[in-house]
Amino acid sequence: MNGKNFRTFLERNTVVPILVVILVLAAIFVPDFLTVRNLLNVLNQNAIKGIMAIGMTFVIINGYFDMSLCTLISLTAALSCGLQSSLGLVPAILISLLVGIVVGAINGFLVAKAGINAFVVTLALMLGCRSLSYLYSQEQSILATDPVFIEIGLGRIGNLTYISILFIVMLCLAHYVLRYTSHGRNTYATGGNANAAFNAGINVTRTTFINFVICGFTGALGGVLYAAQSGASSPPLGWPDMHMLVIAAVVLGGSKLTGGFGNIWYTCGGVLILGIVSNVMNLLNVQTYVSTLVTGLIMIGVLYLDKVLTDRRKKASLTNA
């Protein structure tokens, strides 16, 4: 790769240099940061957010986002714990995942078929899931009763948790779907220009509906895994900003909120950027609100850099035209 191609690569893939800079700064300020144990710890701590970010990536590439995620996880966490004693572990997990699929299907139907604004729809489902979570749990934490469930959340193979391994598998599966299937191509086309995609014969409604269902499923799975990891559910779980952290990870990975552009591996990079910042702040014993401020400043910086590079590419294309 020559210098021009390398510069073009960095301009089109801003998450790579940002991640490298974050790693270098972390290594400078925290000498023990660049150890295999700590790096794997970052992955393990952020794998659940990463799983939810996979579903959000599909929706954002499609040109939308899902606000209901932050309370969907509290509802499915409560169901997965509360139903274990009466129905058993497997039915409890399956019902929880089904609830996520149903919420995603409602979002998808109202947005894609009814044409209602995605912000309004997913905000309404966010409030509904929050209410159902508190009603079902009676505003109390619910303890998991099945030891296998807790093993799912805490079990490891070497230094990797089962959840991290699942995250990696789902990344590979999502990459395959987005890059090598008609649904993936339809998702990019719909997000890029829905009218043009419709005129090209793409079923825009079905594509959007499926992507909201995928996001609902990954959100529900995130709730189940959080409950398994902690051994209990908690009504405030995910409230009020989990969806914003997940959206932030996807955007930091280079996906455009306007749709039509994104990469599942760069979403993983965005998740790791947020995870590294949080990890470094914890190692330095910095207050949580300072960590949140730094995360916000990084997001603004990345979005500004992306805007500058996008404008530069457009100017270069016009010049060469």
Side-chain angles (χ1 to χ4, degrees), residues 208-288:
T208 302
F209 177 82
I210 290 173
N211 287 328
F212 271 103
V213 170
I214 291 172
C215 191
F217 171 79
T218 57
L221 180 58
V224 171
L225 294 175
Y226 267 120
Q229 196 174 66
S230 61
S233 70
S234 174
L237 176 64
W239 178 266
D241 58 359
M242 179 61 74
H243 62 291
M244 297 307 299
L245 289 174
V246 173
I247 292 172
V250 179
V251 173
L252 283 173
S255 295
K256 310 293 186 186
L257 288 175
T258 51
F261 189 87
N263 182 300
I264 202 68
W265 297 109
Y266 292 163
T267 289
C268 179
V271 171
L272 293 178
I273 288 173
L274 295 180
I276 290 168
V277 171
S278 178
N279 179 261
V280 169
M281 294 299 167
N282 287 334
L283 292 174
L284 294 175
N285 294 318
V286 176
Q287 293 94 330
T288 302

Side-chain angles (χ1 to χ4, degrees), residues 32-97:
D32 295 331
F33 174 79
L34 283 181
T35 63
V36 174
R37 182 185 182 91
N38 187 61
L39 291 176
L40 290 178
N41 188 42
V42 171
L43 176 61
N44 291 333
Q45 289 177 343
N46 293 276
I48 300 178
K49 290 188 186 75
I51 288 172
M52 293 187 291
I54 289 173
M56 190 68 77
T57 300
F58 278 83
V59 172
I60 286 179
I61 292 175
N62 202 145
Y64 301 99
F65 54 88
D66 188 349
M67 299 282 289
S68 65
L69 194 69
C70 65
T71 55
L72 174 61
I73 63 174
S74 64
L75 175 58
T76 56
L79 290 171
S80 63
C81 289
L83 295 175
Q84 288 178 28
S85 58
S86 57
L87 299 180
L89 177 60
V90 174
I93 292 176
L94 292 178
I95 290 173
S96 301
L97 297 179

